[in-house]
Every structure is written in C-alpha cells, then in structure tokens.
Amino acid sequence: MLAAPIHRLERRTTLTAIAATILAALATVSCTNGSSPANTSAACAAPGVSPHEIRVGLIYPDSGPISGELEAARSGADARFGLVNAAGGINGRKITYTWQDDNSSTSGNGTAVRSLFESSSVFGLLEASINADGGADYLRSNQIPAVGLPITNVWSDPSYTTMFSYPSLITGGPVSDVVGRYVREHGGHRAIVVTTETASGVQGFDPPLAKSFAEAQVPTTTVPYNSAVTSPAEFVHRLPTDADVLVLALGPNDVLPIDAAVNAAGNRFKVVVAIAGSGDATIQKYGSSVAGLTTFSTLVPFRANLPAQQDYLRAVASYAPELQPATQEVAYGTYIAADILVQGLMAAGACPTRTGFINALRGMQNYNAEGMLAGKVDFTKTHQAINCLIFTRVNDAGTAFDVVPDTVPGAPSQTEWCGTGT
C-alpha cells in the first residue's frame, strides 16, 4: 500500500516562487488512467520488481527550510500512483514507494539517495527537491533512473542521462525567443530586468531571460533590488525611463509590492512580466492593484479545464484529499513527473529493468501530459529546451489571472506561445 498521506498542506506555492524565494531562499504518450495488460506471473530480477509490485523511491524535504514549500509534492505522487493502481497497475504490478527526507540539504539528498538504493530494494527514483544534485552523481554512476520536479539545474544537465523531467525555466536550460517574442507582440522594445542583490539563485533566471530577449532583439538593462534598503515606491521612482518593459526576476514577496507600486505611479510600462506571483493568493491580497501583471509557466493552468486536469482533480480527491487547494502547482508538477515515471514503466515491458526503462523513455517524443504541458517534450534529447510557454495576466478588475491568447495569424495554438526554437 502507499504510505499514509500527510495532512498539513495549506500553502499555494508555485514552482517559480520556490526557485525565486528559496534560491533567493514527458513515440507519443499520455497521462492515461489505465495500465498495461496484467502479467503477474513474470518473475523479474530487477531491484524493486516483484510479481505484484514495483517499488520506487521518493525523496522530498520533510524537514529543513524548504520543507513547507514542497510538502505538497507527496500528494501529487499519491494521486498519480493511486490512479494507475486503481486501474490495475503496470502489467498487474502496483506502484508503491519508500520515501526519504533529504533535510533540505545537498548532503542530506546524497545520503537519502544512497540509503534508498543500498538499504532498500527500489527500482528507481521520484524526486521533489531543490538539492537533487546531491545524489545525481550516484544515480549516474549506477545507471539508476530518476524522474523529478524540475526545480534545480541538474534536471537540465545533459551529462545526467538517467535523469528525466519536463522543461522549466527554473532549471536554466536553453530557452527560445518566446519571452522576448511575447513582449514584442505587446509593444515592448526595451526591457529592464530587476533582480536581487542578495540571492544568486534568482539571478540564475537572468541568462535564459537575457537570451530570450536578445533573440527577439529586445535590449535589456539589469537593475538590482534590495528590499531592506529601498522601498518599492522609491525603487519604482528611480527606474530608468528609456524602457517600456519591466521584468521582475524576484520572489513573490518582492514582485507584488513592486508591481503595485508601478500601478500606483501610473504604470508607464507596456508589459510587466514576473517569474513569480501567479496564484489565488495574489488575487486575494492584491486584486486590482496588480492589474496587468503577467506571469508564465510550462504548466497549463487549471482554467483550461482539460480532461487530463479533471482526471488529476479526481485523483487528488480520491488518493490525496489532504491537499487543499487541489490546484497547488507543486502537487500538479509532481503529478506530471510521476506520470513520466508511469509512462517509462509501461514502455519498459512486462519485465522492466532499469536499463530498459531508461532506453524506453529515451525513445519517447512529443510528450505533453495530455495537454497539461506547453509544447512537447522530446526525451530522445538529453536536455529539454523551452520553446513554448503559457502566459497569464491579471485582468483589469484584479479578479483572476486570464490566459493571454496568441492571436498572431498562423499561430499553432491560441493558448501556447511558442518561439522559433533554440
């Protein structure tokens, strides 16, 4: 049976907010509910595989400074594994897991990875940690498959060929001109990128953003911000006057006050785009004072109401009812990561091996989690380029984040904005 769920999830944290706050602080497949034909008689020699079970490892921080921000990850895993198990599992084998706490630290992550594979019999790994680099060399050296939430750079490092995730700007992978194209289509010609003086992790967003703007021929100027020294109103007053785009590469605790100050000062910018701040909490606390704030993600928002998203919500209600609200992005992203693991196991055959799993996933193209991801993932490539994003904007009344359609003639999708490639 799956481990008992936890019952203390009340945060509404986005993946970009985690990176910004803490580092300042998936052949075509789908998220199917069914399983491969039952085959419980096969005796397999792979670790973690028995006639009735495939046991995997789960690592996330149950303690330490990031634990509260990532606790929803376990609910996402419970929802996806519960869904596939209810449909008969993988070739008649149910997915179970043994979990380890990495204590929100790199050393703790390395210890947790080694413990799972040396003390427990597990097949592979599902991971939701900002310290996944701690155990990455062990996984690579032992050719152990791992799937994870893309919130640390190791998931986009092409040298770690046994590690799989979906694209995310957080990981610092290659980015097309999509962000720059978005601002140009909305009249922007020159951008100010605001970053923090005190957190190099947030500044990790700068290179991919700068590249995206450069490829779209939008010049940028970087301006540092320190909330301990300068108030939002003072900072906005001092911003250079030769730019019509404001990019806030900051955590939500800084993004929202600055954007509210921009609006209070008359908002001279044609576009204000932020890497964090999307979610119900922004609307509830700031409302119309942040009207026009634009955010972006590789995850399709729930207002799209896709069948796959409805499956997700039903799975949460059945197998992770402690998750409130059910739409938390950490859980949503982990559910998709868990689905990548499910798809790899389904493709690995009746008697899965670690090598078979890795090769099967490396043969997959055009994965988009039944539409829940912007663009498609090509796992034949050892790094995932970001070519498509979903942009959402606070409406004028400040009552919701609305999806911004791509209305350019010939656009392949009106909900996804895509660039020209990397």
Side-chain angles (χ1 to χ4, degrees), residues 68-411:
E69 306 297 337
L70 283 170
E71 62 184 358
R74 188 166 172 181
S75 295
D78 286 342
R80 186 62 189 102
F81 295 157
L83 199 62
V84 71
N85 288 341
I90 308 294
N91 285 312
R93 300 182 179 93
K94 293 192 174 183
I95 301 177
T96 63
Y97 65 77
T98 298
W99 72 275
Q100 287 277 348
D101 174 16
D102 73 0
N103 308 119
S104 301
S105 72
T106 301
S107 61
N109 184 268
T111 299
V113 169
R114 288 190 297 273
S115 176
L116 280 171
F117 292 100
E118 293 175 4
S119 302
S120 305
S121 180
V122 296
F123 179 86
L125 183 65
L126 176 64
E127 192 161 13
S129 171
I130 65 165
N131 299 109
D133 53 327
D137 287 339
Y138 181 93
L139 296 171
R140 179 172 59 185
S141 296
N142 292 279
Q143 287 296 287
I144 297 170
V147 181
L149 195 62
I151 52 175
T152 189
N153 292 353
V154 71
W155 297 105
S156 66
D157 189 329
S159 69
Y160 292 96
T161 58
T162 72
M163 300 179 71
F164 301 83
S165 191
Y166 57 87
S168 167
L169 194 64
I170 299 169
T171 64
V175 183
S176 76
D177 65 346
V178 57
V179 184
R181 178 182 166 248
Y182 176 89
V183 301
R184 285 191 65 87
E185 293 294 341
H186 288 83
H189 295 90
R190 179 177 291 273
I192 299 169
V193 180
V194 182
T195 189
T196 175
E197 292 180 327
T198 58
S200 60
V202 177
Q203 293 168 359
F205 283 92
D206 294 353
L209 284 173
K211 180 176 182 294
S212 186
F213 285 123
E215 291 194 358
Q217 299 183 344
V218 178
T220 61
T221 299
T222 299
V223 176
Y225 175 67
N226 187 338
S227 60
V229 175
T230 309
S231 72
E234 290 173 324
F235 179 75
V236 168
H237 179 70
R238 298 174 185 173
L239 285 174
T241 59
D242 62 345
D244 50 15
V245 177
L246 182 62
V247 183
L248 301 174
L250 302 166
N253 292 337
D254 289 329
V255 163
L256 301 174
I258 290 176
D259 187 59
V262 167
N263 282 344
N267 194 356
R268 63 181 175 82
F269 298 101
K270 294 180 178 179
V271 183
V272 179
V273 60
I275 67 170
S278 177
D280 294 341
T282 293
I283 299 301
Q284 292 165 2
K285 185 174 182 179
Y286 286 88
S288 60
S289 69
V290 293
L293 177 66
T294 300
T295 61
F296 52 85
S297 179
T298 55
L299 302 180
V300 177
F302 283 94
R303 61 186 60 88
N305 199 29
L306 300 172
Q309 292 172 325
Q310 296 169 17
D311 288 342
Y312 164 84
L313 294 173
R314 284 190 290 267
V316 168
S318 296
Y319 309 112
E322 75 284 350
L323 183 68
Q324 298 295 330
T327 55
Q328 291 182 58
E329 193 171 348
V330 167
Y332 184 31
T334 306
Y335 178 93
I336 292 175
D339 183 69
I340 299 175
L341 190 150
V342 168
Q343 302 304 329
L345 288 171
M346 292 174 66
C351 201
T353 64
R354 289 172 174 171
T355 299
F357 176 98
I358 293 167
N359 291 341
L361 264 185
R362 282 289 170 226
M364 290 184 183
Q365 300 171 294
N366 302 320
Y367 178 87
N368 71 348
E370 279 197 333
M372 294 190 292
L373 289 174
K376 297 182 184 297
V377 183
D378 181 358
F379 287 118
T380 66
K381 299 178 179 179
T382 54
H383 68 280
Q384 301 304 323
I386 300 167
N387 193 43
C388 299
L389 292 167
I390 306 293
F391 289 87
T392 59
R393 179 183 180 275
V394 179
N395 61 28
D396 292 342
T399 58
F401 278 91
D402 295 333
V403 174
V404 183
D406 185 349
T407 58
V408 175

